[in-house]
Amino acid sequence: MTTAPPAGPAAPSRALPAPFVPSPTSAPRPQAPPLPPVRKAPLAVSGLLAVALTAYVWSAHGARPGVLLLLGLGLGVALFHSRFGFTSAWRQLIAVGNGTGLRAHALLLGTTATLFALIIGTGTGLFGAQPAPSGGSIGVGLAVGSLLFAIGMQLGGACASGTLFAVGSGQSSVLLTLGGFIVGATFAAWQFDLWKDLPAWEPVVLSDHIGWPGSWAVTIAVLLLVVGVTRRVQARRNPPPLGPVPSARDAAVRAVRGSWPLAVGALVLAVLGAGVLLVSGGAWGVTSAFSLWGSELVGALGGHPENWTWWQQSGNAEMLAGPVLADRTSLTDIGIMIGAAVAAALGGTWALHRGIPWRTAVASVLGGVLMGIGARLAGGCNIGAYLAGIASGSLSGWLWGAVALGGTWIGIRLRPLFGLGNPKPGDGVC
């Protein structure tokens, strides 16, 4: 059985071009369960927090940080409603061959690359920002860091962006992942001298060689190849469908409370991510804030992170010296958590998870630590290195993604040691 409808006059997908016919799965995707009632108390708390924090940031630090916080709130809403994940998408592809999630990545990457080419190629920025591409160096740090990150996200249960929106929606086990993430990122900043001189080549950004139109064309061509390969893999392996999430039939209600199609999530995230570039001049990122938060805690406990070589680097010293609520990455990170809390409360799914098995707790913390260290070594995470890198036409983004797929293969083989399951071909959903 496949997800494609049967032949006959009531089978509209037969009229679609081949690339748009749904890829086969072992069974149709189950119907989405009905929406639970709105969680009024979490909605009130998260809504008031969103309004109060936005008002404070706007008045204390100005319009630019205020807009960045609003963009973060929007990112949190979009991430939650679409359940847009990187961890699960790679796991589903490697474990059972379901490439639905990776094709959503391709849509996100292609749309973001298009917007980046328009913004950076024309030098368009707001608040005096000068938009620039994200080009990472290519070397040992990138390879080791992305491998560690991918293993860590399979153990921790979420990627960088996924950790934030899962914490906002009340998933307690992922709060442990976030704690480990902050510890790992802070440790890597503290020990910067140990890895700062690892062999590496200068960044390779396509626009420097073939211009932005050429860079965009190459990026889109490779993404189309990725889509084609995942469709062939899925056709051969005939995997289980994705699991359903609560939703509503009415479009207006679904937009506010229910689940969004992955394609809608990808498009909204691309637009909001481009907004971050317009406002700040840099691409959306996540993990630099974790190093900042951990270092601020070290300073509050009597340490001196300002003496670390990491915080003496160009740009980093200003970040540490300035207020957290003026740091662009901290603002979008905090916004994602609050935005996801609002969305989860409206959707009726906000809940604190209790009784976390000890092996799951260990995996969450360990996964977070590995992701924190990996993100610093690689110069970014699934957002700052993978998404921003590929959208910028940087070779480092493609290499990050390729190594992360290999790390995913390792990670899913380690998950059973911690009592964590993986999708199997005979499952009803993956």
Side-chain angles (χ1 to χ4, degrees):
M1 186 182 295
T2 70
T3 53
S13 68
R14 293 290 183 183
L16 293 173
F20 298 97
V21 175
S23 295
T25 51
S26 58
R29 189 176 189 181
Q31 291 292 321
L35 285 171
V38 174
R39 295 296 308 278
K40 295 180 180 179
L43 177 60
V45 172
S46 57
L48 286 172
L49 182 58
V51 172
L53 189 60
T54 301
Y56 171 78
V57 169
W58 207 290
S59 62
H61 302 295
R64 185 175 182 173
V67 172
L68 285 170
L69 179 59
L70 289 174
L71 287 168
L73 291 168
L75 287 166
V77 170
L79 284 165
F80 175 81
H81 277 305
S82 60
R83 271 68 167 186
F84 201 97
F86 292 80
T87 305
S88 58
W90 279 320
R91 182 165 62 243
Q92 289 156 359
L93 178 70
I94 297 296
V96 294
N98 192 322
T100 304
L102 200 61
R103 290 192 291 277
H105 291 188
L107 178 60
L108 170 62
L109 290 162
T111 307
T112 305
T114 302
L115 295 173
F116 274 29
L118 293 172
I119 293 169
I120 304 174
T122 60
T124 304
L126 301 176
F127 302 103
Q130 297 295 321
S134 295
S137 58
I138 301 167
V140 174
L142 175 67
V144 174
S146 52
L147 184 73
L148 290 176
F149 189 95
I151 295 171
M153 68 181 180
Q154 293 305 327
L155 297 180
C159 57
S161 53
T163 295
L164 293 174
F165 91 76
V167 167
S169 61
Q171 297 185 35
S172 307
S173 63
V174 183
L175 185 60
L176 297 175
T177 303
L178 177 60
F181 217 143
I182 294 171
V183 169
T186 306
F187 176 82
W190 174 43
Q191 294 298 320
F192 179 59
D193 289 328
L194 293 179
W195 55 272
K196 65 183 178 67
D197 294 322
L198 291 173
W201 292 270
E202 291 297 316
V204 177
V205 180
L206 291 177
S207 61
D208 293 340
H209 304 278
I210 56 177
W212 278 105
S215 173
W216 175 84
V218 170
T219 300
I220 297 301
V222 177
L223 289 172
L224 289 173
L225 177 63
V226 169
V227 170
V229 169
T230 63
R231 288 180 64 86
R232 288 182 65 88
V233 169
Q234 186 162 334
R236 185 176 72 248
R237 297 182 65 178
N238 204 37
L242 300 185
V245 292
S247 194
R249 293 188 180 276
D250 182 81
V253 176
R254 186 175 187 182
V256 177
R257 297 194 59 218
S259 65
W260 300 352
L262 281 174
V264 173
L267 294 174
V268 174
L269 290 172
V271 171
L272 292 170
V276 174
L277 177 66
L278 275 170
V279 172
S280 69
W284 172 29
V286 174
T287 57
S288 65
F290 297 162
S291 297
L292 176 61
W293 299 350
S295 298
E296 291 282 5
L297 179 58
V298 170
L301 294 175
H304 296 280
E306 68 277 5
N307 295 331
W308 301 351
T309 306
W310 171 262
W311 292 116
Q312 294 174 355
Q313 301 297 297
S314 176
N316 290 353
E318 293 80 3
M319 186 190 305
L320 183 65
V324 170
L325 290 179
D327 172 54
R328 71 171 189 186
T329 308
S330 295
L331 286 167
T332 52
D333 285 1
I334 293 169
I336 288 170
M337 289 188 283
I338 298 175
V342 171
L346 275 171
T349 62
W350 194 96
L352 289 175
H353 297 253
R354 298 178 176 84
I356 303 169
W358 71 267
R359 287 197 295 172
T360 301
V362 170
S364 297
V365 174
L366 176 60
V369 170
L370 289 176
M371 284 193 287
I373 295 173
R376 290 283 62 80
L377 289 175
C381 59
N382 58 294
I383 300 298
Y386 173 63
L387 171 59
I390 290 178
S392 298
S394 175
L395 181 59
S396 63
W398 290 107
L399 294 175
W400 195 100
V403 176
L405 278 176
T408 298
W409 185 87
I410 297 172
I412 62 176
R413 279 153 181 77
L414 294 176
R415 283 170 59 86
L417 299 178
F418 298 91
L420 303 173
N422 291 313
K424 297 178 177 60
D427 291 343
V429 295
C430 65

